[in-house]
Amino acid sequence: MSSTRIEVSSGVERARVVLGAGAVVPRLVERGPSSARIALVAGGALLLGGDEVSIEVDVGDGCTLDLEEIGGTVAYRADGRPSTWTVTVRVGRDASLAWAGLPFVVSDGAAVVRRMDVRLADGGVALLRETLVLGRSGERGGWIDTTLAAGDDDGPILHERLVVEGGAPMVGVLGEHRVLDTVSALGFRPPAIGPACTVLDLDEPGAVSRFLGADTHASPLDQTWAVWRDALSPVPLLTPVVVP
Protein backbone atom coordinates (compact mmCIF):
# COMPACT_ATOMS: atom_id res chain seq x y z
CA MET A 1 0.00 0.00 0.00
CA SER A 2 1.37 3.40 -1.04
CA SER A 3 -0.11 6.10 1.22
CA THR A 4 -0.27 9.87 0.78
CA ARG A 5 -1.19 12.11 3.73
CA ILE A 6 -2.30 15.76 3.73
CA GLU A 7 -3.20 17.66 6.92
CA VAL A 8 -3.98 21.37 7.24
CA SER A 9 -4.70 23.20 10.49
CA SER A 10 -4.81 26.87 11.48
CA GLY A 11 -1.68 28.71 12.56
CA VAL A 12 -0.81 32.21 13.78
CA GLU A 13 0.89 33.57 10.67
CA ARG A 14 0.78 30.53 8.43
CA ALA A 15 -1.28 27.35 8.42
CA ARG A 16 0.34 24.19 9.73
CA VAL A 17 0.68 21.76 6.82
CA VAL A 18 1.76 18.14 7.20
CA LEU A 19 2.51 16.22 4.02
CA GLY A 20 3.38 12.57 3.52
CA ALA A 21 4.27 11.24 0.08
CA GLY A 22 3.21 7.96 -1.44
CA ALA A 23 2.69 7.09 -5.08
CA VAL A 24 1.04 10.52 -5.26
CA VAL A 25 3.32 13.30 -3.99
CA PRO A 26 1.78 16.46 -2.44
CA ARG A 27 3.63 19.76 -2.99
CA LEU A 28 2.86 22.91 -1.03
CA VAL A 29 2.27 25.84 -3.41
CA GLU A 30 1.13 28.60 -1.03
CA ARG A 31 -0.57 29.12 2.31
CA GLY A 32 -2.10 31.72 4.60
CA PRO A 33 -3.00 31.65 8.31
CA SER A 34 -5.78 29.09 7.77
CA SER A 35 -5.51 28.16 4.09
CA ALA A 36 -3.29 26.17 1.76
CA ARG A 37 -2.99 25.31 -1.89
CA ILE A 38 -1.35 21.97 -2.63
CA ALA A 39 -0.44 20.33 -5.94
CA LEU A 40 -0.67 16.56 -6.39
CA VAL A 41 2.03 15.02 -8.58
CA ALA A 42 2.47 11.38 -9.58
CA GLY A 43 5.65 9.94 -8.12
CA GLY A 44 5.95 7.45 -10.99
CA ALA A 45 3.86 5.58 -13.54
CA LEU A 46 0.25 5.24 -12.33
CA LEU A 47 -1.70 3.01 -12.30
CA LEU A 48 -0.09 -0.34 -12.99
CA GLY A 49 -1.63 -3.73 -12.28
CA GLY A 50 -1.51 -4.48 -8.56
CA ASP A 51 -0.93 -0.86 -7.46
CA GLU A 52 -2.68 0.16 -4.23
CA VAL A 53 -2.87 3.95 -3.88
CA SER A 54 -4.22 5.52 -0.71
CA ILE A 55 -4.75 9.26 -0.13
CA GLU A 56 -5.86 10.72 3.21
CA VAL A 57 -6.91 14.38 3.46
CA ASP A 58 -7.70 16.16 6.74
CA VAL A 59 -8.86 19.80 6.63
CA GLY A 60 -8.84 21.29 10.11
CA ASP A 61 -11.61 23.37 11.64
CA GLY A 62 -12.01 26.74 9.93
CA CYS A 63 -9.44 25.96 7.23
CA THR A 64 -9.55 26.17 3.44
CA LEU A 65 -7.69 23.65 1.27
CA ASP A 66 -7.31 23.73 -2.51
CA LEU A 67 -6.00 20.56 -4.16
CA GLU A 68 -4.84 20.75 -7.77
CA GLU A 69 -3.75 17.75 -9.82
CA ILE A 70 -0.73 18.19 -12.08
CA GLY A 71 -1.46 15.84 -14.95
CA GLY A 72 -4.20 13.23 -15.09
CA THR A 73 -3.95 9.57 -14.17
CA VAL A 74 -3.85 6.62 -16.56
CA ALA A 75 -4.70 3.08 -15.47
CA TYR A 76 -2.69 0.84 -17.79
CA ARG A 77 -3.34 -2.70 -19.04
CA ALA A 78 -3.29 -4.88 -15.96
CA ASP A 79 -3.07 -8.45 -17.36
CA GLY A 80 -5.71 -9.53 -14.86
CA ARG A 81 -4.23 -7.71 -11.85
CA PRO A 82 -6.62 -5.07 -10.48
CA SER A 83 -5.41 -1.82 -8.94
CA THR A 84 -7.05 0.24 -6.20
CA TRP A 85 -7.34 4.00 -5.65
CA THR A 86 -8.75 4.89 -2.23
CA VAL A 87 -9.33 8.43 -0.93
CA THR A 88 -10.47 9.32 2.57
CA VAL A 89 -11.41 12.95 3.29
CA ARG A 90 -12.32 14.67 6.53
CA VAL A 91 -13.46 18.32 6.42
CA GLY A 92 -13.64 20.00 9.83
CA ARG A 93 -16.12 22.49 11.27
CA ASP A 94 -16.63 25.54 9.02
CA ALA A 95 -13.85 24.29 6.77
CA SER A 96 -13.78 23.87 2.99
CA LEU A 97 -12.09 21.63 0.44
CA ALA A 98 -11.90 22.25 -3.32
CA TRP A 99 -10.33 19.39 -5.28
CA ALA A 100 -9.89 20.06 -8.99
CA GLY A 101 -9.40 16.57 -10.39
CA LEU A 102 -8.02 15.94 -13.89
CA PRO A 103 -9.04 13.06 -16.18
CA PHE A 104 -8.73 9.52 -14.85
CA VAL A 105 -8.22 7.34 -17.94
CA VAL A 106 -9.00 3.62 -17.88
CA SER A 107 -7.01 1.98 -20.70
CA ASP A 108 -7.93 -1.22 -22.52
CA GLY A 109 -7.21 -4.16 -20.23
CA ALA A 110 -7.13 -2.06 -17.04
CA ALA A 111 -9.09 -3.07 -13.94
CA VAL A 112 -9.58 -0.45 -11.23
CA VAL A 113 -11.47 -0.19 -7.95
CA ARG A 114 -11.74 3.48 -7.05
CA ARG A 115 -13.41 4.84 -3.91
CA MET A 116 -13.69 8.23 -2.26
CA ASP A 117 -15.16 8.66 1.23
CA VAL A 118 -15.92 12.22 2.38
CA ARG A 119 -16.94 13.13 5.93
CA LEU A 120 -18.10 16.68 6.68
CA ALA A 121 -18.25 18.16 10.18
CA ASP A 122 -20.79 20.85 11.07
CA GLY A 123 -20.46 23.71 8.56
CA GLY A 124 -17.89 21.84 6.47
CA VAL A 125 -18.21 21.94 2.67
CA ALA A 126 -16.48 20.25 -0.26
CA LEU A 127 -16.35 20.81 -4.00
CA LEU A 128 -15.01 17.93 -6.09
CA ARG A 129 -14.39 17.40 -9.78
CA GLU A 130 -13.92 13.91 -11.18
CA THR A 131 -13.52 13.12 -14.87
CA LEU A 132 -13.65 9.48 -15.90
CA VAL A 133 -12.45 8.57 -19.40
CA LEU A 134 -12.86 5.08 -20.83
CA GLY A 135 -9.86 4.36 -23.01
CA ARG A 136 -7.03 6.32 -24.53
CA SER A 137 -7.28 7.52 -28.12
CA GLY A 138 -8.54 4.68 -30.31
CA GLU A 139 -9.45 2.44 -27.34
CA ARG A 140 -12.78 1.32 -25.87
CA GLY A 141 -11.50 1.32 -22.29
CA GLY A 142 -11.13 -1.19 -19.47
CA TRP A 143 -13.13 -2.00 -16.33
CA ILE A 144 -13.71 0.29 -13.33
CA ASP A 145 -15.76 0.10 -10.15
CA THR A 146 -15.95 3.66 -8.77
CA THR A 147 -17.75 4.92 -5.65
CA LEU A 148 -18.30 8.31 -4.02
CA ALA A 149 -19.72 8.19 -0.50
CA ALA A 150 -20.23 11.51 1.31
CA GLY A 151 -21.97 12.28 4.58
CA ASP A 152 -22.08 14.41 7.69
CA ASP A 153 -23.13 13.94 11.31
CA ASP A 154 -26.76 13.71 10.23
CA GLY A 155 -26.21 10.91 7.73
CA PRO A 156 -25.48 10.44 4.03
CA ILE A 157 -25.40 13.34 1.56
CA LEU A 158 -24.51 11.45 -1.61
CA HIS A 159 -23.67 7.82 -2.33
CA GLU A 160 -22.99 6.78 -5.91
CA ARG A 161 -21.46 3.66 -7.37
CA LEU A 162 -20.71 3.03 -11.04
CA VAL A 163 -19.39 -0.21 -12.51
CA VAL A 164 -18.59 -0.05 -16.23
CA GLU A 165 -16.41 -1.66 -18.86
CA GLY A 166 -15.57 0.25 -22.02
CA GLY A 167 -15.64 -2.87 -24.17
CA ALA A 168 -19.13 -3.82 -22.96
CA PRO A 169 -21.23 -0.63 -22.89
CA MET A 170 -24.59 -0.80 -21.11
CA VAL A 171 -27.73 1.05 -22.12
CA GLY A 172 -28.96 3.29 -19.32
CA VAL A 173 -25.53 3.58 -17.71
CA LEU A 174 -22.98 5.31 -19.95
CA GLY A 175 -24.13 3.77 -23.22
CA GLU A 176 -21.63 4.57 -25.95
CA HIS A 177 -20.25 7.59 -24.08
CA ARG A 178 -16.62 7.35 -22.98
CA VAL A 179 -16.36 10.53 -20.84
CA LEU A 180 -18.18 11.10 -17.55
CA ASP A 181 -17.37 14.53 -16.10
CA THR A 182 -18.83 15.40 -12.68
CA VAL A 183 -18.69 18.37 -10.30
CA SER A 184 -20.12 17.64 -6.85
CA ALA A 185 -21.01 20.31 -4.29
CA LEU A 186 -21.35 18.80 -0.83
CA GLY A 187 -22.65 20.52 2.28
CA PHE A 188 -23.89 23.69 0.55
CA ARG A 189 -26.40 24.84 -2.06
CA PRO A 190 -24.40 26.13 -5.04
CA PRO A 191 -25.66 29.02 -7.20
CA ALA A 192 -27.48 28.44 -10.46
CA ILE A 193 -25.47 28.10 -13.65
CA GLY A 194 -26.25 28.35 -17.34
CA PRO A 195 -28.62 26.02 -19.21
CA ALA A 196 -25.69 24.26 -20.91
CA CYS A 197 -24.97 22.37 -17.68
CA THR A 198 -27.20 19.69 -16.18
CA VAL A 199 -27.61 20.04 -12.40
CA LEU A 200 -29.15 17.56 -9.97
CA ASP A 201 -30.07 19.04 -6.58
CA LEU A 202 -29.57 16.70 -3.64
CA ASP A 203 -32.02 16.20 -0.78
CA GLU A 204 -29.37 17.33 1.69
CA PRO A 205 -27.43 20.56 0.94
CA GLY A 206 -25.54 19.85 -2.24
CA ALA A 207 -25.78 19.37 -6.00
CA VAL A 208 -24.20 17.42 -8.84
CA SER A 209 -23.47 18.76 -12.33
CA ARG A 210 -22.68 16.13 -14.94
CA PHE A 211 -21.64 15.72 -18.55
CA LEU A 212 -21.65 12.60 -20.73
CA GLY A 213 -19.90 12.71 -24.06
CA ALA A 214 -17.18 11.51 -26.39
CA ASP A 215 -14.42 14.01 -25.57
CA THR A 216 -13.25 15.85 -22.47
CA HIS A 217 -12.88 19.15 -24.34
CA ALA A 218 -16.61 19.11 -25.10
CA SER A 219 -17.56 19.26 -21.41
CA PRO A 220 -19.15 22.55 -20.25
CA LEU A 221 -18.26 21.90 -16.61
CA ASP A 222 -15.37 24.36 -16.49
CA GLN A 223 -18.12 26.98 -16.07
CA THR A 224 -19.78 24.97 -13.30
CA TRP A 225 -16.49 24.60 -11.45
CA ALA A 226 -15.67 28.32 -11.70
CA VAL A 227 -19.08 29.49 -10.47
CA TRP A 228 -19.35 26.96 -7.65
CA ARG A 229 -15.73 27.47 -6.63
CA ASP A 230 -16.38 31.18 -6.15
CA ALA A 231 -19.35 30.29 -3.94
CA LEU A 232 -17.03 28.68 -1.38
CA SER A 233 -15.76 32.18 -0.40
CA PRO A 234 -12.19 31.04 0.21
CA VAL A 235 -9.86 32.67 2.71
CA PRO A 236 -7.27 34.70 0.73
CA LEU A 237 -4.02 32.79 0.28
CA LEU A 238 -0.94 34.58 1.59
CA THR A 239 2.81 34.05 1.91
CA PRO A 240 3.73 32.09 -1.23
CA VAL A 241 5.92 29.11 -0.49
CA VAL A 242 7.84 27.34 -3.24
CA VAL A 243 8.77 23.73 -2.52
CA PRO A 244 11.40 22.15 -4.77
Side-chain angles (χ1 to χ4, degrees):
M1 175 75 72
S2 178
S3 184
T4 298
R5 178 74 180 171
I6 300 169
E7 296 181 32
V8 178
S9 56
S10 296
V12 178
E13 295 183 356
R14 295 188 298 180
R16 179 176 180 268
V17 178
V18 178
L19 303 178
V24 176
V25 180
R27 300 289 192 186
L28 181 61
V29 178
E30 58 179 339
R31 59 179 162 175
S34 59
S35 60
R37 178 174 289 120
I38 293 172
L40 300 177
V41 184
L46 291 177
L47 286 165
L48 303 177
D51 282 351
E52 297 180 353
V53 176
S54 174
I55 302 174
E56 298 180 13
V57 180
D58 194 323
V59 188
D61 295 347
C63 290
T64 296
L65 173 60
D66 278 88
L67 292 179
E68 301 174 352
E69 296 184 11
I70 308 300
T73 299
V74 177
Y76 295 96
R77 180 177 295 276
D79 295 325
R81 300 178 64 203
S83 56
T84 62
W85 184 285
T86 305
V87 178
T88 304
V89 174
R90 176 193 169 274
V91 181
R93 295 191 307 273
D94 300 319
S96 69
L97 167 68
W99 189 333
L102 292 179
F104 190 100
V105 181
V106 184
S107 302
D108 283 357
V112 183
V113 178
R114 176 180 164 102
R115 182 179 178 93
M116 175 179 282
D117 289 287
V118 181
R119 182 73 176 183
L120 305 179
D122 186 34
V125 298
L127 182 64
L128 310 172
R129 185 168 186 177
E130 297 181 291
T131 305
L132 173 65
V133 182
L134 293 175
R136 294 177 288 180
S137 178
E139 296 182 340
R140 298 291 298 277
W143 177 89
I144 184 169
D145 179 344
T146 180
T147 300
L148 170 61
D152 57 20
D153 293 339
D154 295 325
I157 298 173
L158 174 65
H159 193 129
E160 289 189 309
R161 183 185 179 199
L162 175 67
V163 182
V164 294
E165 184 173 0
M170 297 175 62
V171 176
V173 184
L174 296 188
E176 294 294 330
H177 300 298
R178 60 184 293 267
V179 175
L180 174 63
D181 195 9
T182 305
V183 178
S184 302
L186 306 172
F188 71 104
R189 294 288 184 195
I193 53 178
C197 301
T198 299
V199 176
L200 307 173
D201 290 321
L202 305 180
D203 184 53
E204 296 297 322
V208 174
S209 184
R210 180 159 287 152
F211 164 80
L212 286 172
D215 301 291
T216 55
H217 63 77
S219 173
L221 295 194
D222 285 349
Q223 175 193 0
T224 302
W225 176 266
V227 173
W228 290 4
R229 180 66 189 84
D230 288 344
L232 288 182
S233 301
V235 176
L237 291 170
L238 304 173
T239 317
V241 177
V242 177
V243 179

